Amino acid sequence: MAIDKDSSKRPANTAFKQQRLKAWEPILTPGPVIIAFIVIGIVFIPIGAAIINSSNKVLEHVIRYDDNPNCQLGQKCTINYTLPTEMESPVYLYYKLDNFYQNHRRYVKSRNDDQLRGIEVTDFSKLKDCEPLITTDGSEDVNKILVPCGLIANSVFNDSISLADASGNLINLTKKGIAWQSDIDKKFKNYPENGVGVINFSNFEDEDFIVWMRTAALPDFKKLYRIYHGQNGPLSGTIQIRIDNKYPVASFDGKKYVVLSTTSWIGGKNPFLGYAYIIVGIICFVQGVVFAIKHKISPRVLGSPKYLEWNK
Amino acid sequence: MHDKDQQYNNTQQQQQQQPSQNDLNSLDQSFDAQSNSSQSNLGWILDSGKKSPTMENQQYTDIPLVDSAAPSGSSSSGAGGSNSKPSLQTISPLHKSNNSSNNNIGEDQYSPPSSLSRAPSSTISSGAARKSTKSSSLRSNKPKKKPKALKKVKKKKYIGSSRNIFINQPERNIPFKFIHNKISTTKYTPWSFIPKNLYEQFRRAANFYFLVIAVIQLIPGISPVNAYTTWIPLIFVLAVTAVKEGIEDIKRNLSDKTVNNLDCRILRNGKFEIVPWKQVKVGDICQVNKGERFPADLVVLNSSEQHGVCYIETSNLDGETNLKQRQAIPQTFEILRSEEDLAHFRGNIECEHPNNVIYVYNGAIQMTDDSQKHPLNNTQTLLRGCVLRNTEWIYGAVVYTGEDTKLMQNSTDAPSKRSTLEKLVNRALINLFIIMFVVCVVGMIVSVILTSTNIDKQWYLDFEQKDVRKAVLNLFSFMIAFAVMIPISLYVSLELVKVAQAVYVGWDVKMYDPETNTPARTRTSNLSEELGQIEYIFSDKTGTLTRNQMDFLKCSVGKMVYGNVEREDDASSNKPYGIAMEGIVGADPKFGFKDRRIITHLDEDKNSEQSFLINEFLTLLAVCHSVVPDRPNKDDSEIIYEASSPDEAALVSAAKNLGYAFYNRDPTGCLVNIRGKIERFEVLNVLEFNSDRKRMSVICRNPQGRIILYCKGADTTVLPLLRKDQEELYSITLEFLQDFAADGLRTLCLAYTYLEEEDYQQWNELYKEAAISIQDRDMKVDKVSELIERNLSLIGSTAIEDKLQEGVPQAIANLIKANIKIWVLTGDKQETAINIGFSCHLLTSDMRIIILNGSNQEDVHNQIQGAIDAYFSDDAENHQNSGFALVVEGSCLNFALEGELKSVFLELAANCKSVICCRTTPLQKAQVVKMVRDTLRAVTLAIGDGANDVSMIQAAHIGIGISGHEGMQAVMASDYSIAQFSFLYRLLVVHGRWDYKRNSKLMLYCFYKNMVFAMTQFWFGIYNSFSAQTMFDSWSISIFNVVFTGLPIIVCAIFDQDVSAESSQKYPQLYASGQKDSEFNLRVLWVWIVEAWIHSVVIFFGVYGLYSHGSTLLESGDTLDLWAMGQNIFILVVITVNFKLAFETRYWTWITHFSIWASILIWFAWVAVLAAIPGIGSTSSGDIYYVAYKIFASPSFWLSIAVLPTICLAPDVIYKYIQRDVKPYNYQIVQEIEKIYGKPSDIMSKENLAKFSKTNDIEEMGVESPQQQEKRKKKRIKFLTWMKSIRHDKVNTGFAFSHANQNKSNKKGNSFK
């Protein structure tokens, strides 16, 4: 049959069109699987160990103070805390809140980024984000706009914490650097002093404020408060924690802590990942060995047609 | 009880039919049954006439149908009355006891006077449905969703019961408001596109759901994420589909435009003017030149040839490339010779309203100056789309335009089919909706409780009393947050994948047939996975299993059989049988019939009976047909016979090769070159073939001046018409016929009778009356024809071989191995069918063959029950054989298809590996398919090539058309078209199996990945007091499905191969998984969903472990916030789901690699870009400025993305490994075989097929032990013995159910399988 080339409808016999592209065709045969599991085990266990090791080297002290009888709400108090070992600088001072839902949907969205950038926002449709705290009394009056508006900004953690050494000398703590530099640069600018609205405070570039405004992921969170850069050498012995307790948490069964912590490459004290690695590593290793033993003792013949159902 | 009575009536061949039955319903039913049985008994070989399924719906009415509006009502009402009324009263006297069902023509005595008086726009007029010539049944059969599928064609309603057209008087046609000739096949207009397309799309549950979600999102304060999270994917999904639809529609529009603006010559103001097609109007006179297409449906008035004859090619309409002859009626071609004649011509045509029955046209023309009406029929019609050939020009009057033309009336969409898998997906979606709803309600309830308990406590949230009530609205917030659980991209991905799969089917070079230059084609792309789930194949025989190239092989004339005694002709042996037909002018040396005795006998003794019969035999072959001669070289050097069926062509060329060459046709006669001398036979009447009559007769005046009727047809329809004194010849011929049939040949009986001039004239009057009637003409003509076709003298019979196509036995044997049950539905006789069954390996020697051939309900019931009791009841176990085959006679099928027998019949049939139904009608074919489809709930596939298979093809889940020799009707109705039956094997086990697995995986995976993603948010709800807060930024959510997880699964679903194509073919048993729905069912879905839950738990709580207690994750002492945790979780989801897919992929092409790795990597780039835009973080879409850089700086982040996916997927791998080790699936073993031994060779390749056919061995190829070879040899011997025994053992044609003598021998033969 002579069919000239143009009219022939014969499909091109290419690898792509004939579904014969070169391909890697892995299947779960014993060799690769056993090796893969054992390798995973061998790699993961040391990693896990390294993480745990680093995590263990991190010194962390968590001191709850809201239940301290000396520290009633509205009072200033001092808690003496003895460090069992000395803490090399930098030491990070955090406050930690428990059972505080900063990630509640009502809360997370309740802010106005423009306002926080120091822009006078008077358009109520734009301020809607700040619900339910837009104006002081809920009316649509430009002059009663809350500055800053929204739940987050109006629930800023306002306890003040400072550290003193055993002898009562204040330890020099740095506030600078506790917030993300990117936030300081781009997201927060001071509100004009004589701007529209009821100005609670206008210093939006305050790093404590910026830290608070970055909402935490989970209801128990800690936020960086101050950094000790070690001008006085490592922290050691008994230190005084001075707290101005103003922030009410009792109503929602919240807890307040002061946290002193050093860091390592992995961050703070959190062995979770380390355990995960070690457990996964061990399981994979054991599994690999079990597979290997099974394969050694009673291997299944690969590709034997007798396993085909219709040959049985 | 009533039912029984009624069925009993049917069995008695309707003599007891009582028109006065009160129950109209039962009357309808019995009428149906009757029409079925009347067909089923007819064993015409050219079994391609077709009956419309709408027969079932037709109304019974006993009013004779007369067009009262017709001016010439008197004559037509006379005809109608005389024919239909007596028929009601006739009670057949011709009733031969029990055996009558086979050889009884009595049933035609009662013909239903059915109604034509349905709405003018009715799909099919029942009268017309009854009649259809061989090639004439391009009729849209809509077994399902009839009204819907037809909706597309705008049906204009015309008033009155017929249309009246004034020729050349445009102003008089105006009141009728005929439709213009401008056509539009587009689905949309520019204005309707958007609303209509959107409406179509939103009919999909998932799309509509997302629309609802998207609208809810617009309500302020409810949505936890930005509105575009839903709008972007939704618009994307809608746009993809809309663009696809739009492109298709634009293409249609362009082609419409081209067509509408084609030029044609129309008589305007006395002159022919060139106007575009769209301006053609009904009643115009039109001139069409050679090679041009007809702009509308025309009635030919005159042509350039003698007697107004013209030839047309109808391939655009039905795909048949042979020329068809059309002829003007004398009354017009005599007076309309020139443009001037035409300009003065006035007249009117009365005809049916537009309908979609091609090749049936009933009308009458009346000249203004002539009181008489002249009938018009199909011979005068030139249909739009056809092309004028071999004729310089024609004049025609336009009768139907635009949407009214037969072409447009037939251009309906095939019934839209949805795959089983897609239906399952909808159930899966419902499951998912329920899960999602439960999750949302749980979230909402908890949220309400928490809000109300904490209303005074959480001062920082500033709750008011109304917020408790508002918390109820959290339901909607949750719905939005979890909307991602429903995979919106599923349908789009699936559509894309299926398009690609369809393209791959067309690209498969192994399904390309070089001989006909046809690749495989997908016509319905959304069924690709259905190909992997087929349980039943219903196959036509002729042209599907066989080549449909007919070879005239044997014949019997009188009491002699001619033809090769052995079919394998030995060219070297010079026996009297082996000599070619030398000395005959124009004889084809390749002519397969090599028995010279027929010529010798013809010449030996001119006065002998035998010589006379041979002469009549050959004359009949040369005269009694509807073949058109074509002379490509314009001279007599070569004559090609254009026949609508290959059988006819074979017979006519056989006559030619034996010296009786059909030379030419003129309007009233037929010229035959009888051994060099041209003789003219004046053709008086042609009683055409149709599927009811299964015979054709020609009444002609032979050169000697005697009127003779030649009749050829199926034995069952011809033999009963014989004269009484033909008993001896009758029985001898019957024996010959059985011999022929046993060889698998197609047989026809030939008979003649001389007519007396007077009788003929009398009859001719009746015939003319019938032929002139406008309505119910076919039925009336049939009835009149019966009056003359009687007292025939038998001449002999012919036997034509229809060779099997290449690779058919191998394909069938392998399909059976794939656990597919094959039913062959053929019009052949039982013996022919059984033999074909053996030669194509549908039946094997170690099968028990059960034959059902009872002639009444009771018999059939007993046979079925007997077979079931004997073989399939509980006591009858342990059969030492490899299966059962069932052979059913068409007449039994009628009983088996209805009422109480249906269930037992199916019980029996379902237990048999293969079923052959002989002597089936097209309607029965469709009924059988429907029965299996609906009752057994099995996935069915019908494959066929002819118009008679259309209803079956449309009834089955998948219809496959063989694009071969018998026109395009089957292909047009099909979902896939292939060139050869053997390609079906590759289509099913390679493409079908792959596509089923791929698409199942795609669906499961889409559900899975979205579930993982959505559920992490649910777990997060525990820690945000179910406030529906999300931790992902809206931008990332909106492209999760498209960018991060969309491509890999699409690539996987297009390219993945669990085993190679060659292995799929070598191990057809692998196919079974699709039949069992084992890749996608609710159980598997739930396994995946639970897995998704586990993965989401691991991911969320893994990250929770990292972030809990406000963990410091950076060496700089910073803590990370909500959005950082969200991004950490997001990438873990992306990595986990992509790796999950990686473990599900086995065929890693570079595209696969690229898609998976790129999808993961692009996330890093994406968040890095997002983090660089200060303004990106808005309050509602996530405060993500700089977040990415923070987490990238955190070692914990990197460590988490190494360990958590491992935790997710290690159990998966462990499970898979153990499963493979302990209880491997078949496909896994095959994978290993491939890995170790390499890919097998293609068992369906040409070389391998050749090897097989030489050894007659179609078992497995691979290396085999001598033992196996031994076994096979034995088996083959057994098979051959059986073949012989069945040939000689004629007794076995009449027994109830037979386990022929093969059963004793196969006790050992079944050991390997």
Side-chain angles (χ1 to χ4, degrees), chain B residues 642-714:
Chain B
E642 302 268 8
S644 47
S645 90
D647 298 71
E648 280 215 306
L651 291 177
V652 176
S653 17
K656 175 185 157 194
N657 285 320
L658 293 170
Y660 283 63
F662 168 57
Y663 180 75
N664 207 348
R665 240 177 229 290
D666 64 32
T668 57
C670 179
L671 301 172
V672 182
N673 183 348
I674 298 181
R675 319 189 80 179
K677 188 177 153 207
I678 291 182
E679 304 263 15
R680 182 164 187 278
F681 290 79
E682 187 188 352
V683 177
L684 302 169
N685 301 89
V686 177
L687 310 177
E688 281 172 30
F689 169 83
N690 67 37
S691 56
D692 291 355
R693 285 158 40 80
K694 300 213 169 190
R695 62 175 178 263
M696 130 176 225
S697 302
V698 168
I699 302 172
C700 61
R701 198 185 296 275
N702 66 13
Q704 291 79 41
R706 290 199 70 179
I707 300 179
I708 188 165
L709 179 143
Y710 288 122
C711 177
K712 73 173 180 194

Side-chain angles (χ1 to χ4, degrees), chain A residues 7 9 18-19 21 24-25 94 101 105-106 187 214 220 251 263 268 270 277 294 300 303 309-310, chain B residues 457 460-462 467 477 507 517 1027 1057 1109 1111-1112 1115 1117 1121 1147-1148 1183 1199 1221 1226 1232:
Chain A
S7 73
K9 291 177 189 157
Q18 299 308 320
Q19 311 203 44
L21 280 178
W24 173 50
E25 299 171 38
Y94 301 86
Y101 286 87
R105 185 159 74 93
R106 192 179 166 84
K187 301 199 74 160
R214 203 158 259 287
D220 54 337
S251 66
T263 60
N270 190 350
Y277 266 91
K294 157 76 177 65
R300 181 176 69 89
E309 227 165 62
W310 53 89
Chain B
K457 297 176 183 167
Y460 56 93
L461 293 176
D462 201 26
D467 289 317
S477 308
W507 274 347
N517 189 25
S1027 58
Q1057 306 176 2
H1109 311 301
S1111 218
T1112 310
E1115 200 174 359
D1121 67 341
Y1147 198 74
W1148 288 76
D1183 188 6
L1199 288 168
D1221 196 56
N1226 295 326
E1232 291 166 7

Side-chain angles (χ1 to χ4, degrees), chain B residues 10 72 136 172 238 272 318 398 470 620 699 787 846-847 889 913 940 1066 1070 1101 1186 1210:
Chain B
N10 295 336
S72 65
S136 73
R172 293 187 67 182
L238 295 179
F272 278 113
D318 58 15
V398 176
K470 266 191 172 173
L620 188 150
I699 302 172
L787 297 175
D846 51 1
M847 272 182 172
E889 277 278 343
K913 275 189 173 170
T940 55
K1066 192 178 171 192
L1070 294 177
F1101 287 98
Y1186 221 75

Side-chain angles (χ1 to χ4, degrees), chain B residues 622-641:
Chain B
V623 173
C624 179
H625 54 75
S626 58
V627 166
V628 179
D630 190 25
R631 295 183 165 74
N633 306 334
K634 302 281 167 216
D635 55 30
D636 292 347
S637 65
E638 192 188 353
I639 303 176
I640 292 170
Y641 295 121

